Amino acid sequence: MIKAIIFDWAGVLADDGYWVWLRQNVPNIEQKNAEFQSLSEKVDGGDIEHSECMHQLSLASGKTPEAIWEEIKNEIRINHELINYIQKLK
């Protein structure tokens, strides 16, 4: 019997604003994918602070950490269709 279904936030319940932002703002992101994946894993795992992550993105893009965070948040689109489906599963 299934008792729980767990859904991931970034890339499932909502767009992953981090990767959307990177593709729009970091030149040659394809060649730097591993570097930014590692950065994402470090901040997600608590190995570095959010501020350090934003600082690294600032170095890569030339934008301020504050502007970057606002732009990332603005890229997040909630998947309302999936949310509605999940509510029906209850």
Side-chain angles (χ1 to χ4, degrees):
M1 171 188 244
I2 297 173
K3 294 187 179 195
I5 300 173
I6 300 171
F7 294 88
D8 187 40
W9 173 254
V12 177
L13 294 176
D15 292 339
D16 191 335
Y18 174 77
W19 287 103
V20 172
W21 185 88
L22 285 172
R23 286 191 297 274
Q24 294 173 351
N25 290 278
V26 176
N28 303 314
I29 186 61
E30 296 80 18
Q31 289 82 25
K32 301 173 185 173
N33 191 54
E35 172 186 347
F36 289 102
Q37 179 64 40
S38 175
L39 184 63
S40 175
E41 290 171 3
K42 286 178 183 175
V43 75
D44 287 348
D47 297 326
I48 63 170
E49 296 290 328
H50 178 263
S51 59
E52 177 59 23
C53 179
M54 292 300 108
H55 175 71
Q56 293 300 319
L57 295 178
S58 178
L59 294 175
S61 68
K63 295 185 176 189
T64 68
E66 297 79 17
I68 293 167
W69 183 232
E70 285 303 312
E71 290 175 11
I72 288 174
K73 290 189 298 184
N74 287 334
E75 292 300 334
I76 297 170
R77 304 288 181 270
I78 296 173
N79 185 338
H80 292 286
E81 185 177 339
L82 181 56
I83 298 285
N84 290 337
Y85 178 75
I86 292 168
Q87 289 174 333
K88 292 176 186 175
L89 295 174
K90 291 183 177 182

